[in-house]
Amino acid sequence: MTDPIQLSDLQLEVLRVFWDRGEATAAQVHADLQRTRDLAPTTVSTLLSRLEKRGLLRHRADGRQYIYSACIAETEVRSSMLQRLTEFFFRGDSSALLTHLVASRDFDPDELDAVEQLIRARESNDLDDGNASSADPAGEDQ
């Protein structure tokens, strides 16, 4: 999808039902959402219909009921919404977003190790792909 995906909290909750279950009927989605929200079954049906019109869900008929499934992966939604957030709050500056995240919360050592491993892997991939900066700090003085 080329347009940024913008979803409300409720729409995200609905999509999470499908990412967790794979497929579900409107009644199953309603039952899952009832744990945290008091929604009418017709509200859930309307949400499903609107998400389908946006191309985020699809359905197939099974007798008299529809069985819905997601047309979009959670990672794609996350990426699009984070891109929008980065553009909106940090004017597209990803490093400002990362700085904010690191400075605004406490990380346990395992989380920091995981982040450091991701950074090392990214640096290694960039070097392997020839995407690293041509500046070599070790060779500048030679």
Side-chain angles (χ1 to χ4, degrees):
M1 304 190 125
T2 56
D3 291 335
I5 300 165
Q6 296 182 39
L7 299 170
S8 68
D9 290 350
L10 179 56
Q11 290 169 328
L12 275 172
E13 282 185 58
V14 169
L15 283 172
R16 282 191 182 115
V17 170
F18 295 102
W19 295 327
D20 292 343
R21 284 179 166 263
E23 294 185 325
T25 64
Q28 290 169 324
V29 173
H30 179 258
D32 283 4
L33 295 177
Q34 278 298 108
R35 296 180 194 139
T36 58
R37 293 181 181 259
D38 186 24
L39 299 172
T42 54
T43 302
V44 173
S45 293
T46 299
L47 279 163
L48 295 176
S49 176
R50 289 181 180 169
L51 288 170
E52 185 174 23
K53 284 179 185 170
R54 290 179 62 186
L56 301 174
L57 293 178
R58 66 178 158 261
H59 77 269
R60 63 180 172 83
D62 183 21
R64 294 181 56 196
Q65 65 182 351
Y66 287 165
I67 299 177
Y68 292 88
S69 60
C71 295
I72 189 165
E74 183 176 8
T75 55
E76 189 175 346
V77 171
R78 184 182 305 140
S79 178
S80 180
M81 292 185 76
L82 278 172
Q83 181 64 37
R84 170 77 174 113
L85 177 133
T86 303
E87 291 295 327
F88 187 80
F89 288 106
F90 300 96
R91 298 186 178 172
D93 185 352
S94 297
S95 63
L97 170 64
L98 289 171
T99 300
H100 173 77
L101 290 172
V102 170
S104 66
R105 89 181 268 267
D106 292 329
F107 289 91
D108 67 42
D110 290 339
E111 288 175 314
L112 288 174
D113 286 343
V115 170
E116 288 172 352
Q117 288 177 11
L118 286 170
I119 291 169
R120 282 193 296 275
R122 179 62 185 259
E123 288 172 340
S124 176
N125 285 341
D126 283 350
L127 288 173
D128 292 344
D129 295 340
N131 294 330
S133 169
S134 62
D136 181 7
E140 286 180 15
D141 295 332
Q142 293 177 350

